[in-house]
Amino acid sequence: MVEAPRRDPVQSEPSVHPGVTIALAPPMRRWSLRAKSRQALETHLGLSLPRKIGETSGDICCLGPDEWLWRASDAVPRDMGAGLPISVVDVSERSVGLILDGQAARSVLNAGCPLDLERFAVGRTTRTVYEGVEIILHRESETRWTVDVWRSFAEFLWMSFQAAAVNR
């Protein structure tokens, strides 16, 4: 069987607006990590996991009391933990990343996100919504944000960001 070439759901060229640039993030691997015992997952992966919801440690963010997201460009878990009371699932093809960078990035995000992003700390990550679309939002710096969105919603989210950047 011949695989169809994969196409990104949004344009590869950054979209530049006054105060904000919206761009497709470089490709990266993503794993959904679940375990009732954080320690069992840490032992299996050989990594330290963040302890608090919203906290990020290296490439791993804590999304819930028993849920983490590991995003990395080159790291790979040694195995998926078959037979252990943990779950390590490769979800790399499910999502794409969008980057909003610039002084107006927060304003663009606030146009469709209900969170108080002015108080959203650098380094924090959370699951939220933008215009009804579930996203994972990470604040990299004062002016740079990464948004993970399911591939099927990426084009809609891209267009929503464009509209917010133009109409802010």
Side-chain angles (χ1 to χ4, degrees), residues 4 10 26 28 30 34-35 39 41 48 51 54 59 62 92 101 107 115-116 124 126 135 149-150 152 156-157 159 166:
V10 299
M28 65 175 51
R30 293 171 178 81
R34 302 292 303 255
Q39 186 175 9
L41 192 55
S48 178
R51 299 184 188 289
D59 294 332
C62 182
S92 301
D101 195 6
S107 173
L115 297 178
D116 180 359
R124 182 163 183 229
T126 193
I135 62 171
V149 61
W150 282 21
S152 58
F156 170 80
L157 190 63
M159 290 187 303
V166 168

Side-chain angles (χ1 to χ4, degrees), residues 40-115:
L41 192 55
E42 286 180 325
T43 300
H44 175 72
L45 295 173
L47 298 168
S48 178
L49 300 175
R51 299 184 188 289
K52 292 172 43 180
I53 296 170
E55 184 178 68
T56 300
S57 176
D59 294 332
I60 302 174
C61 55
C62 182
L63 297 177
D66 66 350
E67 181 182 11
W68 297 265
L69 177 65
W70 183 11
R71 297 180 301 189
S73 57
D74 57 359
V76 177
R78 61 178 178 230
D79 67 59
M80 299 300 179
L84 297 173
I86 63 172
S87 173
V88 179
V89 178
D90 185 341
V91 294
S92 301
E93 295 299 318
R94 176 182 73 188
S95 300
V96 296
L98 302 176
I99 297 171
L100 286 82
D101 195 6
Q103 290 299 112
R106 188 178 76 219
S107 173
V108 169
L109 288 167
N110 270 137
C113 179
L115 297 178

Side-chain angles (χ1 to χ4, degrees), residues 17-22 100-118 130-131 137 139 142-145 160-168:
H17 303 273
V20 64
T21 299
I22 304 164
L100 286 82
D101 195 6
Q103 290 299 112
R106 188 178 76 219
S107 173
V108 169
L109 288 167
N110 270 137
C113 179
L115 297 178
D116 180 359
L117 298 179
E118 189 169 326
Y130 187 96
E131 294 288 334
L137 181 64
R139 188 171 194 175
E142 287 298 320
T143 61
R144 186 177 172 96
W145 305 72
S160 294
F161 286 161
Q162 302 299 317
V166 168
N167 296 311
R168 61 176 185 82

